[in-house]
Amino acid sequence: MKLGSASRSAKYTQGPGAAQLSLTLAMTEYDHARDLTSGLIQPQGIALTPLILPIEEIFFRYLKNFEFDIAETSFAKYISMTAAGDCPIIGIPVFPARVFRHSAIYVRSDSGISDPKGLEGRTVGIPEWAQTAGVYVRGLLAEYYGVLLNRIQWVQAGVNEPGRAEKVTLNLPDSIYYDSRPTKSLSEMLLSGEIDAAITARPPNCFLRGDSSVIRLFPDFRAEEEAYYGATRIFPIMHVMTVRRSVLEAHPWVAMNLLTAFEKSKNAAVERIREITTSRIPLPWGAALAEQVAAKMGGELWPYGVSQNRNTLDAFCRFAHDQHLTASRLTVEDLFPEEVIASARV
């Protein structure tokens, strides 16, 4: 992504010994960002004002009014907006939220659906077509399990409350059956049998209450996710950090300086997890588990940057295009500024 010129004037504050660019940062609470948001690690040349907020509030305020200079953003919303053109935000390859999503498929226990292909010919609820988790699930269903997405009747509704709506404009073809139910929730429709299954990152209340009529399609979802990663090397990225375009066009150096600071904060968190002398996280065998996961995933627990994540990024670009979120298939170079595509080597 090539940055253009901008007319916005910079806001500088006087830091220790030098003027610094003042920027606001909105994200939810993560241990791997804690040293940055606490000020222990500071991006060079930048004075951050961190705002730690619920993720739903960040998405709503940022994508509606772009209130912050830097913000955690839904990856699906970002790629959709970028493909539409004139996107007011630009991503940097910092991925605070990553989750395998085989656990996100819920089915009625009396539906007879026992494997992914069983979803064909059924009615499946989703909170949004453009929800990142759903994009990954539909991508793995289609590519890994051979499910025909146009053989499913898709029903959009809030997970536990009525009234949820898509946050980007959809352009789905007639071959995709999609219906919105603004007066109902996925949880109540699962219980009533109005839908056979649901794909949602947030578990439906009926499942959380322990209702036996709703179960996960993959009870041992971790084993299924490990097999999927072993076969595809896709480690799903849910959220990406983005910066207002006007900031990066006026100050292109901000992208790499932010990436470097986020990397330092994440690396410090990983070291805490791997600490064997004393437990830094409230989890027995935490350090041993971290070593096991690192061994399975090539040595790095939570990679940022483009080169380390190109396979996952390419897959998401493919999924988004195949599912009609983007009119053309974007590339990694379309998503991130060239200043962070490659880094200096000595």
Side-chain angles (χ1 to χ4, degrees):
M1 180 182 289
K2 183 80 171 173
L3 296 177
S5 60
S7 59
R8 178 186 171 187
S9 58
K11 294 181 180 178
Y12 282 92
T13 57
Q14 191 66 36
Q20 294 185 308
L21 185 65
S22 295
L23 299 175
T24 54
L25 164 68
M27 64 187 307
T28 203
E29 187 173 15
Y30 297 103
D31 187 65
H32 43 283
R34 187 183 76 192
D35 288 359
L36 180 65
T37 56
S38 71
L40 188 62
I41 291 173
Q42 297 183 354
Q44 188 172 8
I46 301 171
L48 283 181
T49 299
L51 303 167
I52 307 303
L53 301 168
I55 196 63
E56 292 86 356
E57 180 179 349
I58 294 170
F59 287 178
F60 179 80
R61 293 172 61 181
Y62 191 54
L63 297 180
K64 183 176 177 63
N65 300 314
F66 301 101
E67 297 179 33
F68 319 112
D69 295 309
I70 309 156
E72 185 176 356
T73 306
S74 157
F75 199 12
K77 305 299 188 299
Y78 173 60
I79 198 171
S80 179
M81 293 168 63
T82 299
D86 297 323
C87 184
I89 57 177
I90 298 175
I92 59 173
V94 171
F95 313 116
R98 308 182 72 147
V99 187
F100 289 97
R101 289 302 188 187
H102 287 69
S103 64
I105 310 173
Y106 301 86
V107 300
R108 284 188 54 86
S109 56
D110 63 0
S111 66
I113 302 172
S114 58
D115 57 51
K117 287 290 284 184
L119 294 169
E120 292 182 359
R122 302 305 188 99
T123 302
V124 179
I126 53 174
E128 295 177 39
W129 185 265
Q131 184 190 51
T132 308
V135 175
Y136 275 108
V137 172
R138 292 191 299 268
L140 69 89
L141 287 175
E143 289 192 358
Y144 190 67
Y145 296 104
V147 175
L148 300 176
L149 300 182
N150 61 1
R151 293 283 308 278
I152 296 173
Q153 295 185 345
W154 301 98
V155 173
Q156 182 272 326
V159 180
N160 296 311
E161 297 179 358
R164 183 165 176 170
E166 297 280 355
K167 297 179 179 64
V168 298
T169 301
L170 298 180
N171 188 26
L172 299 179
D174 292 340
S175 59
I176 298 292
Y177 178 93
Y178 171 97
D179 183 34
S180 183
R181 307 278 174 84
T183 63
K184 297 186 177 182
S185 72
L186 299 184
S187 184
E188 68 178 281
M189 287 191 286
L190 276 171
L191 285 178
S192 69
E194 190 171 342
I195 59 177
D196 302 299
I199 296 172
T200 168
R202 185 179 297 278
N205 281 341
C206 56
F207 177 82
L208 292 177
R209 290 195 301 264
D211 194 302
S212 61
S213 63
V214 178
I215 60 175
R216 280 194 168 102
L217 177 61
F218 298 109
D220 189 1
F221 57 84
R222 177 175 170 180
E224 203 72 28
E225 290 166 352
E226 288 183 355
Y228 176 72
Y229 177 76
T232 66
R233 314 311 286 180
I234 294 172
F235 180 13
I237 294 165
M238 296 295 121
H239 302 165
V240 59
M241 297 306 301
T242 62
V243 186
R244 281 165 50 161
R245 176 177 292 274
S246 58
V247 172
L248 289 187
E249 287 183 337
H251 314 284
W253 54 269
V254 164
M256 183 55 80
N257 287 23
L258 283 173
L259 174 57
T260 299
F262 272 105
E263 279 274 12
K264 289 180 179 178
S265 182
K266 181 258 298 182
N267 291 341
V270 169
E271 287 306 308
R272 287 193 290 271
I273 294 172
R274 299 173 93 158
E275 173 63 57
I276 194 67
T277 304
T278 185
S279 54
R280 304 289 293 276
I281 57 175
L283 181 68
W285 308 294
L289 179 60
E291 297 304 328
Q292 292 171 11
V293 173
K296 285 179 181 291
M297 306 189 77
E300 190 169 2
L301 282 176
W302 203 270
Y304 293 162
V306 167
S307 61
Q308 306 94 313
N309 292 285
R310 187 171 284 272
N311 187 61
T312 298
L313 295 167
D314 286 342
F316 193 74
C317 289
R318 185 171 67 250
F319 295 163
H321 178 56
D322 291 347
Q323 296 172 37
H324 311 285
L325 285 180
T326 63
S328 61
R329 183 182 294 183
L330 300 189
T331 68
V332 171
E333 286 71 24
D334 295 319
L335 297 176
F336 304 108
E338 61 184 17
E339 289 82 1
V340 297
I341 297 291
S343 57
R345 296 183 181 273
V346 179

